[in-house]
Amino acid sequence: MTSATTETTQHGSRPSAAAKPRRWAADTVAAMREGARLRLDYSAQSLWSVDRMIDGIRREAPPPAALDLVLRGFGAYAGEVIARQADGEWWSSGGDHWVRTPDGRLWDPIEEARRCFDGGGSLRLLCRDATEAARPAG
C-alpha cells in the first residue's frame, strides 16, 4: 500500500481524499482574510460569517462561473470545520467530497454551500447537526 492511500492520524483522514478540500479551504481562508478582511479560524462560530457572506453574494448575482469556485471553497471550509470539530474525515468519489463523522454518517458541505446560496441551507446548521450527531450518547 502506498503512502498516498494509507490512513493518517491527523483528523483521521485519508490524504488522497482530504488534499483537495483542505487546499480549497485554506485558499478560502486566505482570500477572505485578504479580500474581505474576514478572519476565518476553523471554528463552528466562524460559519455564521460564512453564511452571511454567501447571503451577500447571492444578492450581488455574480456570474455562475465565478460562483461555483467560491461556493466550493466555502463548502470545503465548512467541511474542514466539521472534520476538526467532530473528528471526521474527508471522503471522495467521482470528484465529489464529503465528510464522514465517527457515527458513519456522510455530510456534504459543498452541496450545502450551494443550498445556502439558493436560500435553503446553512453551513452553520450543517456543522451543528454533524457535531451533535458525532457526540457519543450519554
Side-chain angles (χ1 to χ4, degrees), residues 8-32:
T8 64
T9 57
Q10 181 182 8
H11 305 298
S13 62
R14 292 181 274 170
S16 59
K20 285 183 180 179
R22 284 190 179 154
R23 185 177 65 238
W24 298 332
D27 290 348
T28 297
V29 168
M32 290 298 98

Side-chain angles (χ1 to χ4, degrees), residues 27-40:
D27 290 348
T28 297
V29 168
M32 290 298 98
R33 183 179 56 242
E34 298 300 320
R37 302 284 188 238
L38 176 64
R39 296 193 55 82
L40 299 175

